[in-house]
């Protein structure tokens, strides 16, 4: 380990790899990194195997916690004094920046895990001094202990802040479980420096739609857009384009975006009253005496008004601790010009404003300052669409408050999954379409009768397996969306996705819908049960009697329950489990397999056994034979692994990502394969797993493990029966 400040110290040998720079990825950066499948395991979690947060939080005294949260807002501390004696703005920013990292494309980010406690988010430039907000919450977290997670507490702080400032919130749900180290699966961008120019993540920075997927923020280290303008250059109309694209990538429409912008800036202030260059290092780089605090401000002098965070300085409204309509009056009734804050940041200030209309100083009420607007605020005024929405809100205050309360609820709950996961006394009764509602499924049918009808329907093993898999594979553990429950594979847009083989799918669904009509079982249940029937048949043909666990009760969603547009990002572009690529992508097929496996919550051994089983079952897209290393297709055998690891065969590329498998002695072609197939023989860790399943004594283990992994995938979204 290198210590750049070790002058005069004695060198010492130590055998542990103790710095972040020392790992295999640094040596072989192009290698497949399986770590994303192994994060958040028991070794990182101090709570132990028996701890169930979702059960523990139900024991919480919700009213007492809420009372303490409200009291905290006006309990200003000398070590970090509150603006105007109210921490509301700080707590709202913390909750907003936790939830606001969510992006629709892959469901990652968001406030559902308490990840703001860790790098990189804890040290992002956009999160300056949110470490203070979390530290202010610590006495409450300490008091209520295991009954409330950091993730829940940080989002609840935002709600409590708004309530103490006068907003009637739409509701709140507990149930967010904490993680205990930074996520390894989230791609925040390729830049190597904070706030690198936006050009690095756009093909054309003048066209916001060209931002790299799945990213939503415009620069590394920001949550949304640059408040000073595109690349820090004021241009409200240009910023409006970035605002619209960024919020769309968070699943927000124009009205929700406008409501959030107005409601977020109706209270609180920006901080830039000083020299930003005087701030200390971010938390991750600060030395131990700072105890996790970053951005030490030597010029604070015990005054809230001396704080520096974004560099912009000032409040948006006359009364920044009240949730009112003041933002509309301030923005729309004044002319604005671009000026520079004390910290040197671009901000907009009124050309002319009465002294009594200005907000008072955050520390000294005898002093008044100009209000400010960011470039994003000016975008609300100058973009015709946003301006029309603001004018409508201004005429209809109740409509605005309802729109904001709903948008705030969506922002802070978007990554929690469907409503059955919600906990607590403030869960709204109303079902919202973005929650992907599913009606309760029927359980009052005879499973054996349905099984018999499926078996007699004449469908192939591959058809039944592929349909069940395609229905379930959409599940994303990142935001708990997708999955087999609801049978949305019957509906637009899923029924028309290329990866679902629409013609084949329609044929199978026609059979299942008739069985549903005859038995009362939902189509969703039949899809999954048919997969079980097929696997049991294939296992029996291979000499194994197994019963695939099946859980009744899935419901069938309708078009009216489905936000079709928001499901479009769930469309698979590749599925290594079915050996399919929609197009030839820059990203390697095995990397796309790994990404899908992580979203489905699979471990590396589970991913491995599923690949081998799916190949043996003949479940490839379009019936291709790539990777079907067996003469017994349709039987649940371990032949894929046996032949993959057999040195009797040689492998050579034939172009377009395909390979030919031939007998080493005769040269005779035996099989074909893709990169996804061969990575299980070439990657050292995956080969180790493949060898386990290829062993002569592990045929039964292979079948058992395949059934267990398959069942996990089928039940990933059964929140209706989970705690």
């Amino acid at each position: 380990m290198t210590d750049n400040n070790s002058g005069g110290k004695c060198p010492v040998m130590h055998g542990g790899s103790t710095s972040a720079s020392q790992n295999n990825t640094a040596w072989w950066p192009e290698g497949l990194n399986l770590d994303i499948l192994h994060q958040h395991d028991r070794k990182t979690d101090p709570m132990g195997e028996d701890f169930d947060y979702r059960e523990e939080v139900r024991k919480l005294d919700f009213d007492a916690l809420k009372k303490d949260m409200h009291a905290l807002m006006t309990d200003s501390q000398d070590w970090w004094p509150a603006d105007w004696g109210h921490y509301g703005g700080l707590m709202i920013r913390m909750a907003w920046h936790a939830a606001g990292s969510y992006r629709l494309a892959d469901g990652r980010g968001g406030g559902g895990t308490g990840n703001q406690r860790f790098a990189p988010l804890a040290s992002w430039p956009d999160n300056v001094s949110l470490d203070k907000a979390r530290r202010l919450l610590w006495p409450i977290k300490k008091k209520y202990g295991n009954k409330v997670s950091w993730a829940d507490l940080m989002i609840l702080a935002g709600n409590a802040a708004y309530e103490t400032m006068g907003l009637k919130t739409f509701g709140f749900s507990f149930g967010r479980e904490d993680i205990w180290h930074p996520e390894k699966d989230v791609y925040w961008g390729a830049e190597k420096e904070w706030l690198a120019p936006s050009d690095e993540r756009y093909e054309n920075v003048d066209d916001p739609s060209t931002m790299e997927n799945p990213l939503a923020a415009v620069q590394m280290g920001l949550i949304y857009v640059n408040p000073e303008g595109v690349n820090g250059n004021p241009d409200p109309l240009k910023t409006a384009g970035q605002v619209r694209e960024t919020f769309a990538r968070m699943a927000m429409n124009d009205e929700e975006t406008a409501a959030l912008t107005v409601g977020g800036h109706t209270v609180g202030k920006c901080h830039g009253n000083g020299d930003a260059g005087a701030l200390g290092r971010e938390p991750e780089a600060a030395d131990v005496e700072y105890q996790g605090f970053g951005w030490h401000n030597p010029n604070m002098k015990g005054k809230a008004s001396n704080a520096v965070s974004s560099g912009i300085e000032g409040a948006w409204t006359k009364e920044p601790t009240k949730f009112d309509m003041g933002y509309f009056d301030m923005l729309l009734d004044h002319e604005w010009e671009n000026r520079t804050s004390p910290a040197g940041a671009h901000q907009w200030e009124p050309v002319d404003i009465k002294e009594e209309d200005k907000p008072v100083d955050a520390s000294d009420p005898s002093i008044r300052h100009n209000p400010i607007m960011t470039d994003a605020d000016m975008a609300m005024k100058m973009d015709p669409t946003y301006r029309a929405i603001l004018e409508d809100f201004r005429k209809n205050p109740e409509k605005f408050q309802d729109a904001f309360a709903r948008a705030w609820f969506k922002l802070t709950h978007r990554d929690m999954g469907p409503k059955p996961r919600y906990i607590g006394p403030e869960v709204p009764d109303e079902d919202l379409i973005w929650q992907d509602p599913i009606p309760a499924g029927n359980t009052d049918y005879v499973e054996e009768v349905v099984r018999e009808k499926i078996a007699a329907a004449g469908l192939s093993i591959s058809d039944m397996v592929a349909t069940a898999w395609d229905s379930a594979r959409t599940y994303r553990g990142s935001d708990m969306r997708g999955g087999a429950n609801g049978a949305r594979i019957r509906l637009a847009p899923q029924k028309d996705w290329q990866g679902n083989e629409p013609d084949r799918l329609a044929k199978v669904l026609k059979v299942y819908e008739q069985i549903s009509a005859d038995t009362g079982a939902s189509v969703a249940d039949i899809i999954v049960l048919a997969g079980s029937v097929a696997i049991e048949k294939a296992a029996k043909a291979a000499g194994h009697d197994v019963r695939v666990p099946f859980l009744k009760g899935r419901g069938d969603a309708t078009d009216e329950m489905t936000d079709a547009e928001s499901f479009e990002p769930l469309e698979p572009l590749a599925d290594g489990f079915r050996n399919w690529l929609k197009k030839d992508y820059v990203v390697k097929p095995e990397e796309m397999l790994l990404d899908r496996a992580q979203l489905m919550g699979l471990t590396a051994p589970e991913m491995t056994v599923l690949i081998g089983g799916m190949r043996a079952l003949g479940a490839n897209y379009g019936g291709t034979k790539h990777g079907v290393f067996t003469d017994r297709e349709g039987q649940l055998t371990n032949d894929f692994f046996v032949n993959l690891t057999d040195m009797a065969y040689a492998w050579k590329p034939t172009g377009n990502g395909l390979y030919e498998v031939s007998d080493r002695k005769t040269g005779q072609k035996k099989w074909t394969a893709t990169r996804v197939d061969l990575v299980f023989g070439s990657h050292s860790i995956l080969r180790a797993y493949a060898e386990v399943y290829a062993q002569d004594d592990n045929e039964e283990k292979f079948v058992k493990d395949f059934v267990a992994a398959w069942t996990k995938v089928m039940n990933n979204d059964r929140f209706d029966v989970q705690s």
Side-chain angles (χ1 to χ4, degrees), residues 500-567:
N500 286 342
E501 299 176 280
D503 291 341
R504 180 196 61 78
L505 175 63
K507 179 192 72 172
V508 175
L509 288 178
K510 184 177 181 180
V511 173
Y512 291 169
E513 285 164 357
Q514 184 59 55
I515 296 174
S516 175
D518 292 343
T519 64
S522 67
V523 176
D525 266 355
I526 294 168
I527 288 171
V528 174
L529 186 56
S532 301
V533 169
I535 290 167
E536 291 165 4
K537 181 178 179 181
K540 187 170 185 178
H544 303 278
D545 285 321
V546 297
R547 178 84 170 189
V548 179
F550 173 73
L551 193 60
K552 290 182 179 180
R554 294 170 184 82
D556 290 337
T558 65
D559 286 316
E560 291 72 27
M561 298 174 178
T562 303
D563 182 4
E565 184 177 353
S566 79
F567 271 92

Side-chain angles (χ1 to χ4, degrees), residues 93-94 97-98 101 114-135 154 182-183 188 194 221 223 281-286 292-295:
R93 179 168 162 253
M94 175 185 63
H97 284 211
S101 61
N115 58 3
Q116 196 188 81
R117 291 139 62 220
F118 306 118
L121 297 176
S123 292
W124 269 10
D126 217 5
N127 288 338
V128 171
S129 290
L130 294 183
D131 50 348
K132 318 306 187 298
R134 295 188 296 275
R135 200 63 59 90
M154 286 191 284
E183 300 110 324
W188 297 115
W194 299 122
I223 299 295
R281 299 293 303 277
E282 65 274 18
E284 201 69 14
F293 266 5
W295 305 288

Side-chain angles (χ1 to χ4, degrees), residues 54 58 420-421 715-723:
R54 294 180 58 79
R58 288 181 167 90
R421 297 194 72 250
N715 290 338
N716 263 335
D717 62 342
R718 290 304 305 275
F719 302 117
D720 54 315
V721 292
Q722 298 173 17
S723 66

Side-chain angles (χ1 to χ4, degrees), residues 510-688:
K510 184 177 181 180
V511 173
Y512 291 169
E513 285 164 357
Q514 184 59 55
I515 296 174
S516 175
D518 292 343
T519 64
S522 67
V523 176
D525 266 355
I526 294 168
I527 288 171
V528 174
L529 186 56
S532 301
V533 169
I535 290 167
E536 291 165 4
K537 181 178 179 181
K540 187 170 185 178
H544 303 278
D545 285 321
V546 297
R547 178 84 170 189
V548 179
F550 173 73
L551 193 60
K552 290 182 179 180
R554 294 170 184 82
D556 290 337
T558 65
D559 286 316
E560 291 72 27
M561 298 174 178
T562 303
D563 182 4
E565 184 177 353
S566 79
F567 271 92
E568 289 174 1
L570 275 68
E571 179 182 2
L573 303 179
D575 185 359
F577 295 98
R578 295 196 61 210
N579 234 345
W580 172 73
L581 281 171
K582 188 174 183 180
K583 297 178 181 178
D584 187 14
Y585 299 101
V586 173
V587 179
K588 295 175 183 176
E590 59 268 33
E591 294 180 74
M592 300 180 80
L593 166 71
L594 192 63
D595 183 62
R596 177 159 298 280
Q598 193 280 327
L599 289 172
M600 294 168 69
L602 298 174
T603 66
E606 288 170 337
M607 176 181 74
T608 302
V609 76
L610 283 168
I611 286 286
M614 294 286 278
R615 296 296 185 271
L617 293 170
N620 278 357
Y621 179 91
T624 67
K625 302 303 178 185
H626 304 314
V628 184
F629 305 150
T630 180
D631 297 324
R632 299 181 288 172
E633 182 180 346
Q635 299 181 29
L636 189 55
T637 69
N638 64 342
D639 287 356
F640 175 85
F641 300 112
V642 170
N643 291 310
L644 179 70
T645 57
D646 192 337
M647 291 305 295
Y649 302 110
W651 320 80
K652 66 177 182 179
T654 58
N656 297 319
L658 298 178
Y659 298 80
E660 186 177 282
V661 187
S662 58
D663 187 291
R664 286 184 185 273
K665 292 182 179 179
T666 67
Q668 183 178 357
K669 175 182 172 182
K670 184 69 174 175
W671 297 294
T672 59
T674 66
R675 289 187 61 89
V676 167
D677 300 314
L678 297 194
V679 76
F680 289 89
S682 64
H683 189 280
S684 58
I685 297 174
L686 294 180
R687 186 177 183 90

Side-chain angles (χ1 to χ4, degrees), residues 53 83 87 140 161 200 224 239 254 256 282 299 321 351 437 503 524 566 579 673 693 698 712 715:
Y53 174 65
D83 298 329
Y87 285 120
I140 293 178
E200 296 193 23
Y224 301 112
T239 292
D254 280 347
E256 291 166 328
E282 65 274 18
N299 303 316
T321 61
V351 174
D503 291 341
S566 79
N579 234 345
Y693 291 120
N698 275 343
K712 176 179 178 178
N715 290 338

Side-chain angles (χ1 to χ4, degrees), residues 180 201 239 279 436 508 552:
W180 296 97
R201 56 178 59 189
T239 292
L279 298 184
D436 303 336
V508 175
K552 290 182 179 180

